[in-house]
Amino acid sequence: MNKNAGFVGFDGTESKRTIFALHAVKQAAGIGGDINVLVRKPHARAVSMLRKMIRICGVRAYASSDEDRAKWESAGFRLEGGYRDFFDSSEFIMIGTPGDEELPYLKSGLEHGCFVALMGGAHRDELQKGLEEEGFQLTDDVREDLRREFFFGLENYERFLKAKPKVVQCTSCNTTGLSRLAYAARPLGLCGMIGNIDRRHGDPHTVVRASPSAIQFGRGAGHQGADAGTIFKDVKFSIRASKVPTTVPHTNFLNLIFKGHPTPQELVERLASTREVVVIPYQDAGGRRHEWTSEILEAFLSGFERPISPEIFELLVSDAIIPFELGDYTIMQTVSMVEQMSIAVPNHVEAYMLSCGYPAADVHETVDRAIGVVHGIWPDRLSI
């Protein structure tokens, strides 16, 4: 099997992780084909990333314009062609540009018959409107793809495989975190999820010097819960997404609402048996407490070896779960951590596997084993 994969926004925060993961998975699954990248201006970060990708993955670079091509070639790079050549040479396209910049690449991908995967920041309704305004003739199948629930490999890979879409949207990092929690908890009677996501941000330039720790809390629920609700239609979500002045990780303070009376231990067991979820003991056998996100990340990253990247791809959940019974319902207060730039990477790679028609029975294990994603209870009960 061969399928060329092309990346737009190759040096972005998620794309540059996905490319290395895809290279490892293609080798593990025996899928041939090139990895192509579309380059724009050769700024320092892009130059260093392209050198690394050529050395490790053998990527082939294409230029967005003749002007950009000349600049890259003068910097010593060999380019394979231009904008149209990139789409002609890529059967699968992953669009990882900043939000609101996806439209021209989606249009070009569809015009060239590519399978197009969008990252989590894209707004499908706005993209459909943009395509219609530009006079692009949308087929009924593509319209259905743009209405379809967000692609999330754990829950609906097989359903998407049968649907044979031309466009899928991978869930964002926080939606991925919510979805992994919901997927683990639903068999225990999960019927709702409410709470707050502390989304990270650096101190923005618009914040005055007197208040460097400013928090933006927003008026209503964020898109993350609504997005997860398109996957888990039997679970109600109401999630506020605040922005707090920290870099890593996003931290979720979520109340999981169950019909009935499951116990925290049952939830821990469900979480630990769910792929790409790792439970962190609040207090380990030696008596050390793990209650700071920075300490948890440092302990996990420094103590766990991974074949392609030291960055985490798992959802980390503390076992410090607080149960609260209310009549026929049980509410469990949880804390979970999302590494914002990489937790969605397995989902991105599985979108490529979907485009290849890779069988549902094998896809998850192949991806997890190739990139070293684990589940279980840290540090001694982890497995692929």
Side-chain angles (χ1 to χ4, degrees):
M1 182 188 303
N2 288 275
K3 176 157 286 195
N4 296 340
F7 285 80
V8 179
F10 79 98
D11 62 322
T13 50
E14 291 188 70
S15 283
K16 66 180 177 234
R17 292 160 172 85
T18 302
I19 288 172
F20 295 116
L22 182 62
H23 175 67
V25 170
K26 279 166 54 65
Q27 290 184 318
I31 300 174
D34 298 325
I35 298 179
N36 304 320
V37 296
L38 185 65
V39 299
R40 294 189 282 187
K41 295 180 180 179
H43 53 79
R45 186 183 70 189
V47 167
S48 63
M49 284 308 304
L50 185 56
R51 286 191 181 124
K52 182 177 180 180
M53 289 174 180
I54 292 172
R55 175 172 54 84
I56 296 176
C57 307
V59 304
R60 297 159 63 90
Y62 295 77
S64 294
S65 67
D66 290 341
E67 181 182 1
D68 289 336
R69 180 171 185 170
K71 291 178 179 178
W72 280 97
E73 289 178 339
S74 66
F77 289 90
R78 175 180 178 273
L79 272 66
E80 305 295 330
Y83 185 88
R84 292 186 61 85
D85 300 316
F86 169 77
F87 288 95
D88 285 335
S89 302
S90 304
E91 300 154 275
F92 168 93
I93 299 291
M94 172 68 75
I95 301 177
T97 65
D100 302 324
E101 295 183 14
E102 303 93 352
L103 180 60
Y105 307 109
L106 172 61
K107 183 173 181 285
S108 295
L110 292 173
E111 287 174 340
H112 287 77
C114 303
F115 183 110
V116 181
L118 302 165
M119 288 192 178
H123 301 286
R124 291 171 293 164
D125 54 346
E126 295 179 8
L127 288 173
Q128 179 172 328
K129 181 180 178 181
L131 289 170
E132 292 169 344
E133 289 176 348
E134 293 195 7
F136 184 83
Q137 296 299 312
L138 285 170
T139 65
D140 290 340
D141 288 342
V142 172
R143 290 181 186 276
E144 183 63 26
D145 290 344
L146 292 171
R147 288 193 295 268
R148 204 183 304 273
E149 294 137 0
F150 278 47
F151 173 77
F152 183 72
L154 278 178
E155 173 67 9
N156 53 23
Y157 181 89
E158 187 169 11
R159 174 153 46 89
F160 272 78
L161 193 63
K162 292 177 180 177
K164 300 183 186 306
K166 294 298 293 181
V167 181
V168 296
Q169 181 169 13
C170 299
T171 54
S172 66
C173 56
N174 280 308
T175 304
T176 298
L178 295 177
S179 298
R180 290 181 187 171
L181 278 176
Y183 185 77
R186 194 170 50 171
L188 298 178
L190 181 71
C191 59
M193 190 182 296
I194 61 176
N196 194 83
I197 295 173
D198 282 353
R199 297 182 59 200
R200 91 287 177 269
H201 73 77
D203 294 336
H205 298 297
T206 53
V207 174
V208 296
R209 293 180 183 273
S211 55
S213 296
I215 293 175
Q216 179 189 38
F217 51 82
R219 180 178 181 179
H223 71 86
Q224 295 84 358
D227 294 347
T230 67
I231 304 167
F232 303 96
K233 295 181 182 297
D234 53 342
V235 180
K236 293 183 178 180
F237 296 84
S238 180
I239 309 296
R240 185 189 295 273
S242 302
K243 290 185 178 179
V244 300
T246 185
T247 52
V248 291
H250 296 315
T251 306
N252 303 340
F253 298 93
L254 301 173
N255 297 316
L256 279 55
I257 304 171
F258 298 87
K259 178 71 173 179
H261 300 290
T263 66
Q265 184 56 39
E266 288 176 309
L267 179 58
V268 165
E269 291 172 359
R270 284 292 313 171
L271 291 167
S273 64
T274 299
R275 68 182 285 256
E276 300 165 8
V277 178
V278 171
V279 176
I280 304 294
Y282 177 74
Q283 185 167 324
D284 62 29
R288 185 180 182 87
R289 293 180 179 179
H290 305 282
E291 56 186 353
W292 290 88
T293 58
S294 56
E295 183 269 336
I296 290 170
L297 286 175
E298 171 65 18
F300 187 83
L301 292 175
S302 61
F304 183 71
E305 296 183 18
R306 205 182 296 278
I308 67 161
S309 173
E311 297 171 318
I312 65 170
F313 296 98
E314 296 84 1
L315 174 70
L316 302 182
V317 187
S318 174
D319 70 357
I321 298 170
I322 303 173
F324 178 78
E325 293 191 2
L326 187 64
D328 295 332
Y329 294 87
T330 299
I331 301 171
M332 295 196 198
Q333 300 178 44
T334 66
V335 179
S336 55
M337 286 151 277
V338 173
E339 202 292 300
Q340 67 269 24
M341 301 308 177
S342 64
I343 191 173
V345 166
N347 200 18
H348 300 161
V349 176
E350 286 169 7
Y352 170 79
M353 304 293 273
L354 174 73
S355 75
C356 297
Y358 201 79
D362 303 325
V363 64
H364 298 322
E365 183 178 0
T366 300
V367 170
D368 285 0
R369 192 171 297 280
I371 63 179
V373 182
V374 297
H375 66 270
I377 299 177
W378 180 84
D380 300 322
R381 291 173 54 191
L382 298 177
S383 59
I384 297 294

